[in-house]
């Protein structure tokens, strides 16, 4: 069911329509001006939809003034060309609701949404969710619709726009029927085959996630350390040796014969005359097949003389990759495919070669054409049956039976067009699973074990599968790796067999895991530090943690890619890593807006805060909209999952109603009403508790309260002075608790995590240099700089644990922000800086994101000068980051603190190294101060 942009009553929509049409320019007429200006593909939960979706930003042009009911013949023509679209409910709750909307009048973007959905349905994908919303710009709309296969969904959107324009004013040369046929062919090429799709459907029923690894049939089932792979019906359990043996028909024949499995006598030949000689020795009729073929290609059966053998040799030789050809005695009987999975027979299908049955009226060619109109028949493996192809082999085989393609067979006369019963050549299947004789079942299972395949297709020739081949004659003529499932899951006759279930049972036995726990962290500030805290806790517990952050991708503490890795592609890389058994993802606003989440759900969602950063970007203009973007990770929490929410931020606490699982709140204020309410309901919360000796983190659940750790004993808090890291520690504690970590492990993790450059580069790194201290941080927005300024102020005060002040001199800062922020946000950063620091050097990032050089710095200076409570006495502008840093360091004296808000942390780190005189080589030339207080309350500086 789709939803639309307009949700008012019909009268309200009519009033809006009148207002819009009244605004049309004088003399304006409808013109085909609908166009796509932007395309986004969301592969996971996203801002618009929980399911994968495509978003088109469309511009209506003059069509903004012409709803559907004002364009002559528009609705009638659309419903004639695409009748199914008129059946959409369109939010009305009844079939045909969209037809009503068309007749009342709806806009071109909304129409394109419904057409894109219906086109995908026409191509075989059942999709039904969509919405159209205004962008805030006149005539521009977000058209959002779900998709099944990405390339098909994108093509459907483009074709939908062309069709709308064609309906407005007929486009010359636009053949909708031909375009729709091309879309259907694209869908057939892009879709998984029936076998792969059956396995994926069963995986979905078992809540096993999957990732497509290429544009063919290679698929990963499960995540991280639990993953398995399939390619069609080959699996991670399929041995290459078994595949090689099955591919060598002579070797297979010999191994089976050695274990007592009845097989035809066979000879490998190298030329035509050798084939004739072998056939003479074996006795006619014979079968000729490629030594290493598959899918029945090149297999020639029932060859009764030397000429037929020569022709058969040439056909088989053309399909043999290694050039070998096998001549074997021809077994008479029906053709059966026995499917063995994990050592057990699961299905048997009788295969009937492609044929037509005469009716006494139509020719063979006409009967083939009629047979191919069966909707179950498609091209290749895309549908249950394959269309019969009339080729040289078909003509020749029909002629052997006494018929040309133009002949009319008598009623009831069956004319075969292929010698083999393969589904890929147009054959049909009849389920015979329940009829199989126990001897035949045993032989099929033995054959699969002899070859060594986890999934094997055993080709049996027998007069009757319900009787033992040891008595009736017949045997195993071939064993196939990667056998097709479609003859079993949708036989032409008989009961379908659920053959995908045993495959999933084999790969993921009942009770085994397929997913790794995922913790997703979002918020305006603190994501990277909180993520590193959680990863540190879990790594200490022995987990192999995959971490994504703005610094890069880390696996088990080692960086595997250095980049801004807070988007969905990075998350997917972690989930594909076969060593990862726990995932911690930093989820940034930009990634959600660009592509959505890189996975379907997260076990724990952490939302730290929502403040006004990045406003005006990606169509997000208000803090409330920004909160809705970050809320996506909360909406991705399953019923047995947990959302960890900041009870001190009203925008974050409001997300609780969108969580399907439970909620753990954290708060810096033990008197927070939300925390009290949570405890009264017996639910979990994490907060602070102040005592005479300092403050500590406590875990609450109902009436129980459990002490965790003193905040001044957490290195990352700098004796409790870094209040933002106290808050991050609360969030990390709650997330680890939600993920099942024991209190002892959480306590140990927090007490051993520091914000040294080695553990958290660019996140509140403090260095001691020539008697003054240097703080390096990525602070780039007003709230982050405010927190940093408060931290510097706290360094001049005794710590909550009683430690003496760390600095007594001036506060010097190097500040900057990203150039894509709003002017008012950039000025606000300047105002914050002016209230906290004595001397400020304003710089700019290397990439100013579209702004002229110097413009961002000038706006920061404006903000500094307009600060209400100005502490600053000296302001300079030095645009280059390294030069600005050097100037600040040159000015520093003993007792001062220099705060460097960095863009390239590594560059600044190297400069600090260079300045350290007489530093030990093994410490990289710096003493990184992480501010540990020992159990006696004395301050200890650790040299890293």
């Amino acid at each position: 069911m789709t939803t639309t942009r307009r949700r008012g009553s019909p009268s309200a929509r009519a009033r809006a329509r009148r207002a819009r049409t009244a605004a049309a320019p004088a003399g304006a007429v409808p013109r085909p001006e609908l166009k796509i200006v932007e395309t986004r593909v969301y592969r996971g939960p996203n801002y618009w939809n929980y399911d994968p979706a495509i978003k088109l930003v469309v511009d209506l042009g003059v069509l903004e003034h012409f709803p559907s009911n004002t364009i002559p013949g528009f609705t009638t023509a659309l419903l004639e060309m695409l009748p199914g679209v008129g059946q959409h409910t369109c939010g009305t709750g009844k079939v045909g609701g969209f037809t009503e909307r068309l007749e009342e009048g709806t806009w071109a973007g909304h129409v394109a949404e419904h057409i894109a959905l219906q086109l995908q349905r026409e191509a075989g994908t059942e999709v039904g969710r969509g919405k159209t919303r205004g962008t805030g710009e006149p005539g521009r709309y977000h058209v959002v619709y779900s998709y099944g296969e990405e390339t098909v969904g994108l093509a459907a959107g483009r074709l939908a726009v062309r069709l709308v324009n064609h309906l407005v004013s007929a486009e010359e040369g636009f053949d909708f029927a031909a375009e729709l046929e091309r879309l259907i062919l694209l869908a057939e090429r892009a879709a998984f085959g029936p076998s792969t799709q059956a396995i994926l459907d069963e995986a979905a029923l078992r809540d096993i996630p999957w990732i497509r690894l290429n544009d063919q049939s290679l698929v990963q089932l499960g995540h991280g350390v639990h993953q398995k792979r399939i390619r069609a019906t080959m699996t991670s359990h399929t041995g290459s040796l078994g595949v090689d043996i099955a591919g060598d028909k002579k070797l297979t024949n010999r191994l089976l014969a050695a274990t007592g499995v009845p097989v035809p006598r066979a000879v490998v030949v190298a030329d035509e005359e050798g084939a004739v000689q072998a056939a003479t020795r074996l006795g006619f009729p014979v079968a000729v097949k490629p030594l290493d073929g598959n899918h029945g290609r090149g297999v020639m059966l029932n060859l009764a003389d030397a000429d037929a053998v020569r022709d058969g040799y040439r056909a088989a030789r053309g399909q043999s990759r290694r050039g070998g050809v096998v001549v074997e005695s021809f077994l008479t009987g029906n053709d059966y495919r026995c499917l063995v999975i994990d050592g057990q027979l699961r299905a048997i299908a009788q295969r009937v070669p492609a044929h037509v049955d005469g009716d006494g009226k139509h020719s063979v060619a006409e009967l083939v054409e009629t047979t191919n109109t069966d909707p179950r028949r498609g091209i290749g493996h895309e549908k249950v049956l394959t269309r019969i192809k009339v080729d040289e082999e078909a003509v020749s085989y029909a002629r052997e039976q006494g018929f040309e393609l133009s002949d009319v067979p008598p009623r009831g006369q069956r004319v075969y067009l292929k010698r083999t019963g393969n589904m890929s050549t147009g054959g049909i299947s009849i389920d015979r699973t329940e009829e199989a004789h126990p001897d035949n079942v045993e032989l099929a299972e033995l054959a699969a074990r002899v070859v060594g395949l986890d999934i094997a297709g055993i080709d049996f020739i027998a007069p009757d599968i319900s009787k033992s081949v040891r008595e009736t004659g017949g045997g195993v003529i071939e064993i196939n790796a990667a056998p097709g499932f479609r003859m079993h899951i949708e036989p032409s006759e008989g009961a379908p067999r659920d053959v995908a279930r045993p495959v999933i049972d084999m790969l993921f036995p009942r009770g085994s895991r397929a997913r790794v726990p995922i913790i997703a962290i979002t918020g305006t500030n603190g994501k990277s530090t909180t993520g590193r805290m959680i990863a540190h806790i879990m790594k200490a517990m022995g987990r192999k943690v995959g971490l994504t952050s703005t610094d890069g991708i880390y696996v088990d503490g080692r960086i595997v890619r250095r980049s801004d890795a807070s988007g969905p592609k990075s998350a997917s890389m972690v989930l594909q890593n076969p060593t990862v058994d726990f995932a911690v993802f930093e989820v940034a606003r930009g990634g959600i807006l660009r592509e959505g989440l890189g996975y379907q759900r997260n076990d724990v969602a952490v939302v730290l805060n929502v403040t006004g950063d990045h406003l005006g970007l990606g169509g997000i203009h208000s803090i409330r909209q920004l909160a809705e973007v970050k809320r996506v990770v909360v909406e991705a929490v399953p019923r047995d999952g947990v959302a960890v929410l900041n009870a001190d931020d009203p925008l974050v606490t409001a997300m609780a109603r969108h969580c399907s699982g439970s909620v753990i709140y954290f708060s810096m204020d033990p008197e927070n009403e939300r925390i009290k309410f949570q405890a009264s309901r017996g639910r979990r919360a994490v907060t602070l508790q102040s005592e005479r000796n300092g403050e500590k983190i406590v875990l609450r659940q109902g009436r129980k309260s459990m002490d965790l750790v003193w905040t001044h004993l957490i290195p990352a808090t700098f004796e409790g002075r870094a209040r933002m890291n106290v808050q991050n520690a609360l969030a990390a504690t709650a997330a680890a608790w939600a993920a099942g970590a024991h209190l002892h492990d959480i306590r140990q993790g927090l007490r051993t995590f520091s914000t040294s450059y080695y553990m958290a580069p660019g996140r509140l790194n403090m260095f001691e240099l020539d008697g003054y201290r240097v703080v390096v941080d990525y602070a780039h927005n007003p709230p982050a700089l405010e927190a940093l300024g408060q931290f510097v102020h706290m360094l001049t005060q005794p710590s909550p644990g009683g430690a003496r002040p760390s600095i007594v001199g001036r506060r010097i800062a190097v500040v900057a922000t990203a150039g894509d922020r709003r002017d008012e946000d950039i000025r606000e950063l300047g105002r914050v800086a002016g209230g906290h620091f004595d001397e400020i050097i304003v710089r700019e990032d290397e990439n100013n994101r579209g702004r002229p050089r110097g413009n961002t710095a000038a706006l920061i200076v404006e903000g500094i000068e307009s600060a209400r409570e100005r502490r600053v006495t000296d302001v300079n502008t030095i645009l280059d980051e390294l030069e600005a840093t050097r100037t600040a360091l040159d000015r520093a004296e003993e007792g001062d603190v220099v705060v460097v808000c960095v863009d390239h942390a590594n560059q600044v780190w190297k400069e600090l190294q260079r300045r350290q005189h007489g530093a030990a080589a093994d410490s990289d030339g710096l003493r990184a101060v992480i501010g540990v207080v020992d159990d006696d309350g004395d301050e200890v500086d650790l040299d890293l």
Side-chain angles (χ1 to χ4, degrees):
M1 181 171 64
T2 63
T3 58
T4 67
R5 177 172 54 86
R6 292 171 176 76
R7 299 187 177 207
S9 64
S11 59
R13 291 196 298 271
R15 286 195 298 272
R17 183 168 62 250
R18 286 194 296 270
R20 299 282 287 281
T21 53
V29 295
R31 292 191 299 275
E33 295 185 353
L34 179 65
K35 63 180 180 180
I36 300 170
V37 296
E38 182 184 311
T39 302
R40 295 280 184 195
V41 179
Y42 301 107
R43 299 175 179 87
N46 57 81
Y47 178 61
W48 300 98
N49 200 344
Y50 183 77
D51 298 317
I54 290 171
K55 185 193 78 172
L56 308 177
V57 176
V58 299
D59 190 322
L60 272 58
V62 73
L63 293 178
E64 170 71 355
H65 306 294
F66 294 95
S68 56
N69 66 331
T70 66
I71 303 173
F74 183 94
T75 298
T76 301
L78 173 60
L79 296 180
E80 286 178 356
M81 298 175 78
L82 204 60
V85 77
Q87 301 300 305
H88 294 190
T89 58
C90 192
T92 64
K94 59 182 180 181
V95 174
F98 184 59
T99 299
E100 292 182 9
R101 295 287 171 87
L102 288 168
E103 292 169 348
E104 291 174 357
T106 190
W107 271 259
H110 182 211
V111 176
E113 168 213 324
H114 280 270
I115 293 175
L117 289 169
Q118 185 59 36
L119 288 173
Q120 291 183 82
R121 292 182 183 179
E122 298 290 329
T125 304
E126 285 301 317
V127 291
R129 291 186 178 274
K131 62 180 69 175
T132 301
R133 301 285 188 268
T135 65
E137 298 180 57
R140 289 202 170 188
Y141 296 86
H142 298 291
V143 175
V144 183
Y145 57 92
S146 55
Y147 69 90
E149 209 292 320
E150 185 176 318
T151 58
V152 178
L154 290 169
R158 293 190 294 267
L159 181 55
V161 168
R162 288 189 65 191
L163 179 56
V164 169
N165 283 329
H166 175 72
L167 294 170
V168 172
S169 177
E171 176 186 339
E172 187 175 345
F174 178 73
D175 184 342
F176 176 67
E179 295 290 341
L180 179 58
E181 181 66 20
R182 273 193 284 271
L183 181 69
I184 293 171
L185 290 174
L186 173 64
E188 290 179 345
R189 289 194 300 271
F192 288 115
S195 302
T196 306
Q197 191 62 57
I199 296 173
L200 297 183
D201 289 344
E202 181 63 27
L205 289 174
R206 293 269 296 275
D207 193 31
I208 296 171
W210 55 269
I211 302 171
R212 190 169 192 169
L213 300 178
N214 66 1
D215 57 0
Q216 301 299 316
S217 297
L218 184 62
V219 180
Q220 174 183 313
L221 300 174
H223 287 158
V225 71
H226 306 302
Q227 68 179 268
K228 306 291 184 182
R229 290 181 179 176
I230 63 170
R231 186 170 65 189
T233 60
M234 293 181 69
T235 78
S236 301
H237 293 190
T238 304
S240 59
L241 186 59
V243 175
D244 284 346
I245 292 172
D248 187 329
K249 292 179 171 50
K250 176 60 178 176
L251 177 59
T252 300
N253 184 282
R254 188 165 68 246
L255 292 176
L256 292 177
T259 56
V261 176
V263 293
R265 292 178 298 150
V267 178
V268 178
V269 298
D271 52 41
E272 289 183 21
E273 293 309 313
V276 172
Q277 292 173 12
T280 303
R281 260 195 330 273
L282 294 171
F284 292 101
V286 296
V288 176
K289 57 181 69 173
L291 181 64
D292 54 358
N294 55 29
H295 294 296
R297 299 186 185 98
V299 176
M300 308 301 287
L301 304 177
N302 198 17
L303 307 180
D305 55 44
D307 289 339
V309 169
R310 291 188 180 93
D311 292 340
Y313 176 86
R314 287 192 292 270
R317 178 69 176 78
Q319 294 293 329
S320 178
R321 293 185 294 274
R322 289 182 287 182
V325 172
V326 176
V327 180
E328 61 182 35
S329 55
F330 178 67
L331 301 181
T332 58
N334 294 319
D335 182 359
Y336 298 97
R337 165 62 62 85
C338 304
L339 181 65
V340 177
I341 300 173
D342 198 23
Q344 295 185 38
L345 183 75
R346 298 294 183 174
I348 298 179
Q350 180 182 345
R351 300 185 296 181
V352 181
H355 65 274
V356 294
D357 291 319
D359 60 3
K361 297 179 181 179
H362 298 89
S363 67
V364 172
E366 291 170 337
L367 291 170
V368 170
E369 187 175 342
T370 301
T371 300
N372 283 340
T373 60
D374 186 337
R376 296 177 299 169
R377 290 189 182 268
I379 300 171
H381 293 271
E382 282 74 25
K383 293 189 177 181
V384 178
L385 298 173
T386 300
R387 293 174 187 168
I388 299 172
K389 182 179 180 181
V390 178
D391 53 15
E392 185 177 339
E393 179 190 352
V395 173
S396 173
Y397 195 35
R399 187 173 293 142
E400 288 181 26
Q401 300 166 68
F403 295 96
E404 299 294 337
L405 294 183
S406 58
D407 293 342
V408 177
R411 177 176 294 277
Q413 175 69 52
R414 176 165 290 185
V415 180
Y416 289 97
L417 298 159
K418 300 291 178 181
R419 298 176 185 274
T420 62
N422 295 74
M423 302 293 289
S424 58
T425 58
I428 65 171
S429 63
I430 304 170
D431 181 71
R432 302 291 189 190
T433 306
E434 302 295 338
E435 304 171 19
H437 191 280
D439 282 357
N440 298 338
V441 172
E442 182 183 351
L443 285 173
E445 293 175 349
L446 174 60
R449 287 189 176 93
V450 168
V451 173
L453 290 173
D454 59 332
I455 302 177
I458 314 298
D459 288 347
F460 244 98
I461 297 294
D464 188 344
I465 199 68
S466 66
K467 298 178 181 178
S468 173
V469 294
R470 297 188 188 279
E471 299 175 359
T472 64
V476 175
I477 62 169
E478 192 170 325
I479 296 182
N480 298 274
F485 283 0
R486 61 177 177 161
M487 70 182 74
H488 306 295
I489 57 179
E490 292 194 57
S492 309
E493 299 178 24
R497 299 293 164 177
D498 186 2
V499 294
R501 178 179 295 179
V503 175
I504 296 298
D505 286 340
M506 175 183 67
L507 297 176
F508 298 93
R510 296 287 175 173
S512 63
R513 294 183 175 180
R515 296 177 181 271
V516 299
I518 296 175
I519 297 180
I521 307 146
T522 193
T524 304
N525 294 307
K527 298 185 294 295
S528 294
T529 301
T530 304
R532 287 177 179 274
M533 283 183 177
I534 296 169
H536 181 74
I537 292 168
M538 293 300 168
K539 179 173 170 32
M541 293 172 59
R543 308 303 292 266
K544 293 290 190 295
V545 181
L547 169 69
T548 66
S549 73
T550 49
D551 298 326
I553 301 174
Y554 295 79
V555 174
D556 198 29
R558 296 179 178 86
I559 190 161
V560 297
R561 172 171 291 186
R562 195 179 300 278
S563 65
D564 183 348
S566 57
K569 288 187 174 66
S570 302
S572 183
M573 285 183 62
V574 166
L575 296 176
Q576 290 181 50
N577 190 301
T579 66
V580 168
D581 62 12
F582 199 98
V584 179
F585 296 146
E586 177 181 339
V587 180
R589 165 212 60 89
I592 296 174
L593 289 175
R594 283 193 306 273
E595 298 180 68
L597 302 181
Y599 51 88
Q600 205 60 31
R601 73 185 198 206
N602 36 244
D603 302 274
V604 180
V606 182
V607 186
L608 300 172
N609 43 61
V610 180
T611 59
D613 194 18
H614 298 97
L615 296 181
L617 301 175
I620 304 302
H621 302 284
S622 70
I623 294 181
R624 188 166 298 279
Q625 285 180 308
L626 187 60
E628 291 174 355
V629 173
K630 296 182 182 298
R631 194 179 71 201
V632 169
V633 297
V634 176
E635 294 170 342
V637 171
R639 291 186 180 277
D640 59 350
V642 181
V644 173
L645 304 179
N646 183 356
D648 298 327
D649 189 327
L651 288 172
V652 176
T653 57
M655 298 179 188
R657 66 174 66 98
H658 298 277
C659 179
S660 299
S662 58
V663 175
I664 298 178
Y665 288 105
F666 66 93
S667 173
M668 298 282 284
D669 178 11
E671 299 302 315
N672 183 288
E673 292 299 322
R674 181 68 62 174
I675 297 293
K676 291 181 178 180
F677 177 81
Q678 188 85 340
S680 70
R681 295 299 181 95
R683 300 168 186 163
R684 293 185 286 179
V686 179
T687 187
L688 298 175
Q689 182 174 310
S690 297
E691 295 189 3
R692 184 175 58 84
N693 296 330
E695 65 179 6
K696 57 187 175 183
I697 296 176
V698 295
L699 284 66
R700 294 180 179 173
Q701 186 166 17
R703 295 182 178 181
K704 292 191 300 182
S705 181
M706 296 161 280
D707 295 348
L708 184 69
V709 63
W710 296 97
T711 58
H712 65 270
L713 296 180
I714 302 173
T717 70
F718 292 87
E719 303 94 38
R721 292 185 174 106
R723 305 307 289 169
M724 64 286 221
N725 277 352
V726 173
Q727 186 181 69
N728 292 338
L730 291 173
T733 297
W737 190 17
H742 193 277
L743 268 60
H744 297 303
D745 295 311
I746 301 173
R747 180 183 298 116
Q748 181 65 16
L750 292 178
R751 292 197 59 176
T752 56
F753 176 82
S754 76
T755 58
S756 72
Y757 183 81
Y758 303 102
M759 295 190 75
R763 269 79 187 184
L764 208 64
N765 310 141
M766 182 178 284
F767 310 103
E768 189 173 298
L769 187 66
D770 297 334
Y772 61 89
R773 294 194 172 187
V774 182
V775 178
V776 176
D777 195 86
Y778 277 120
H780 63 281
N781 57 53
L785 192 60
E786 175 68 30
L788 193 56
Q790 291 177 1
F791 167 62
V792 171
H793 174 72
M794 291 289 289
L795 291 175
T796 68
Q797 309 295 316
S799 76
R804 61 186 182 273
S806 296
I807 61 170
V808 294
R810 295 171 300 159
R811 309 173 189 178
I812 304 170
V814 178
V815 300
T817 190
D820 58 359
R821 304 309 194 260
R822 300 179 305 176
D823 289 358
E824 57 263 40
D825 296 329
I826 297 175
R827 292 190 186 97
E828 179 61 23
L829 182 132
R831 284 190 283 271
V832 171
H836 283 287
F837 301 102
D838 301 304
E839 298 181 20
I840 300 174
I841 299 174
V842 181
R843 66 163 187 84
E844 285 188 345
D845 289 349
E846 184 178 351
N847 177 6
N848 219 21
R849 306 192 186 186
R851 285 186 184 267
R853 193 70 170 157
N855 180 262
T856 303
L859 290 170
I860 293 175
V861 172
E862 287 181 22
I864 294 172
E865 294 173 347
S866 65
R868 293 180 181 177
E869 298 180 4
R870 291 186 61 181
R871 181 185 180 94
V872 64
T873 59
D874 186 30
V875 180
N876 290 277
T877 299
I878 302 175
L879 298 183
D880 180 74
E881 178 176 14
L882 192 55
E883 185 181 351
T885 301
R886 287 170 176 164
T887 301
L889 296 175
D890 289 342
R891 292 184 179 185
E893 299 175 354
E894 185 174 348
D896 291 347
V897 61
V898 177
V899 174
V900 184
C901 299
V902 294
D903 182 28
H904 299 292
N906 189 51
Q907 198 176 62
V908 173
W909 164 256
K910 289 179 179 178
E911 175 62 21
L912 293 173
Q913 284 182 309
R914 189 186 67 80
R915 287 173 175 264
Q916 181 67 37
H917 301 294
D922 61 354
S923 66
D924 287 326
L926 273 181
R927 208 159 121 241
V929 181
I930 61 174
V932 174
V933 177
D934 67 15
D935 290 336
D936 295 325
D938 295 326
E939 184 176 354
V940 180
D941 289 346
L942 296 187
D943 290 340
L944 301 179

